[in-house]
Amino acid sequence: MKAAVCYEVGKPLVVEEIDLDPPEAGEVKVRIAATAVCHSDIHILRGDLPEKLPTVGGHESAGWVEDIGRGVTGFKKGDPVVVSLLVSCGKCKYCQTGRSHQCNAAWPMDTGTRIHNKKGQDLSMLFKTGSFAEYTVVNQSQLVKIPADMPMDRACMLACGVITGFGAVVNRARVPVMSSCVIIGNGGVGLNAVQGAAISGANPVIAVDISDKKLEAAKTFGATHTVNASKVDAVKEVQKITGGGAEYVFITVGSTDAISQGLAMSGVQGMTVVVGLPKITDSLDISPLMFIKDERTLTGSYMGSTQLHTEIPKLVDLYKAGILKLDELITARYPLEQINEAIESVENGEALRNIIVF
Ligand SMILES: [Zn+2]
Ligand SMILES: [Zn+2]
């Protein structure tokens, strides 16, 4: 089978034939139909976050069950599935208290792999998924069955980009109706925070970005106001629109400047939620005083605090009802052979979501 392998940080991926081991106990082999290029993949490929190389990236995917390992129940060959990086044991204290996205169980795939190149060298599988490949082997808990008529190129985005943005608003912040929301960064994740806020009944929903193209897209996803931070003082603008500061601010870009800016945009008792991944070397310089008098909260959201198995089917229903927008997120589709072009266009900020289709 073919996969796109990262051998060296900063270098183009190499598309080559690799070998995949059969699924072990509790694991499922999936034929990948579509996988999106996410900024987290790019962070790894550029060395902003650590990962054992060589690696096969890709973690936002959908496909069909191809084979099942020992003890797997609930899946059979041909089932259409969303493949996520979230693994859950169902037994730990987090899984048992509705926080399965924080599952702390140990997995063979934490240190192991199921893929090797033709020289016999082990390749790591990024985020226990490695879906820049025709097939992958994952734990059964990473899969959610979807209806057969759900288009794969749209379903794949439910695995990470959609739930990360949407869930930050709906699950982590639990934004109440009519509250003011700011979303800094309006790419693939940010637009899902925008539509999460709009669907929650927030008002105003203020999109902040430096790209007019992305701000236009944000309006389609439900933003009531847009602020181009390269043209105006975005903090002052948000303070003006909200009458002193927003109740919720979501930072979907991996930038410490954006976090500081977001905190400055938050008002009394405002909550700022960090969603976009910064570099591992980044640190934040803020005055703790802002948390006392004005009772601000600074927190984060991991994978939209999503409970995969209950929420993915609901998001599919929302899409089918015409409420959740997915079609509008896709900028372009690429074959695996052109993955480097797909990555470059995401990195340049040209694309919302680029999808590799098989
Ligand atoms: Zn991702
Ligand atoms: Zn668990």
Side-chain angles (χ1 to χ4, degrees):
M1 69 161 200
K2 270 195 200 132
V5 186
C6 172
Y7 281 98
E8 209 181 320
V9 158
K11 292 278 163 65
L13 304 183
V14 180
V15 177
E16 62 182 8
E17 285 290 327
I18 67 161
D19 294 322
L20 176 71
D21 297 336
E24 296 193 0
E27 293 178 347
V28 176
K29 179 179 177 181
V30 179
R31 176 156 70 93
I32 300 295
T35 185
V37 177
C38 174
H39 278 282
S40 317
D41 294 310
I42 298 175
H43 269 312
I44 301 288
L45 307 177
R46 299 297 176 244
D48 297 336
L49 294 171
E51 172 67 19
K52 203 172 127 206
L53 298 183
T55 187
V56 172
H59 61 276
E60 195 168 316
S61 13
W64 298 275
V65 169
E66 176 74 15
D67 191 12
I68 58 170
R70 237 177 333 108
V72 171
T73 52
F75 294 103
K76 60 176 190 314
K77 188 173 173 170
D79 282 346
V81 286
V82 161
V83 188
S84 171
L85 61 86
L86 288 171
V87 192
S88 53
C89 70
K91 293 176 192 142
C92 73
K93 68 175 177 182
Y94 300 107
C95 282
Q96 294 209 326
T97 51
R99 297 173 289 171
S100 64
H101 66 295
Q102 293 288 3
C103 175
N104 66 357
W107 303 93
M109 294 294 284
D110 290 335
T111 49
T113 188
R114 302 282 176 264
I115 52 177
H116 326 276
N117 66 14
K118 290 292 177 191
K119 290 179 201 148
Q121 184 181 17
D122 281 352
L123 308 171
S124 77
M125 299 169 76
L126 186 60
F127 304 138
K128 300 185 193 73
T129 311
S131 59
F132 288 159
E134 290 173 320
Y135 295 88
T136 189
V137 165
V138 296
N139 185 272
Q140 59 183 330
S141 66
Q142 291 172 257
L143 303 179
V144 183
K145 260 196 259 185
I146 53 172
D149 61 353
M150 180 69 191
M152 289 290 185
D153 55 358
R154 274 141 276 185
C156 71
M157 297 182 289
L158 297 174
C160 173
V162 172
I163 57 175
T164 299
F166 191 90
V169 175
V170 173
N171 296 324
R172 185 72 182 115
R174 295 179 185 273
V175 165
V177 70
M178 292 186 286
S179 44
S180 51
C181 283
V182 174
I183 292 90
I184 302 183
N186 292 264
V189 171
L191 289 175
N192 283 297
V194 169
Q195 67 174 334
I199 291 170
S200 300
N203 188 52
V205 178
I206 307 166
V208 179
D209 206 294
I210 52 170
S211 152
D212 282 329
K213 203 172 130 194
K214 288 187 176 169
L215 291 172
E216 271 313 304
K219 284 185 197 162
T220 315
F221 282 78
T224 58
H225 297 70
T226 58
V227 176
N228 188 321
S230 70
K231 294 179 184 164
V232 295
D233 183 330
V235 174
K236 275 195 190 146
E237 199 62 27
V238 166
Q239 284 169 343
K240 201 162 72 187
I241 299 166
T242 55
E247 289 168 296
Y248 296 91
V249 181
F250 300 89
I251 322 287
T252 70
V253 290
S255 144
T256 49
D257 284 347
I259 299 172
S260 306
Q261 205 175 36
L263 273 169
M265 288 172 182
S266 72
V268 169
Q269 292 191 328
M271 177 189 275
T272 301
V273 185
V274 180
V275 182
L277 284 177
K279 294 180 182 179
I280 195 166
T281 48
D282 283 348
S283 66
L284 206 54
D285 188 13
I286 45 174
S287 163
L289 277 177
M290 71 188 321
F291 301 107
I292 301 169
K293 168 68 174 67
D294 290 344
E295 300 182 323
R296 286 185 179 84
T297 305
L298 175 62
T299 186
S301 174
Y302 173 61
M303 295 297 287
S305 315
T306 303
Q307 305 315 293
L308 212 57
H309 301 97
T310 51
E311 289 173 35
I312 296 276
K314 289 182 190 175
L315 289 167
V316 169
D317 286 346
L318 279 184
Y319 169 71
K320 287 188 160 184
I323 296 166
L324 186 79
K325 292 190 192 324
L326 297 178
D327 305 8
E328 296 82 350
L329 285 170
I330 302 177
T331 302
R333 296 165 179 83
Y334 295 80
L336 186 65
E337 285 71 19
Q338 285 174 23
I339 190 167
N340 291 303
E341 282 169 50
I343 290 170
E344 204 179 309
S345 118
V346 174
E347 209 171 12
N348 293 343
E350 291 161 12
L352 302 176
R353 267 298 188 259
N354 280 338
I355 315 280
I356 309 297
V357 286
F358 294 86

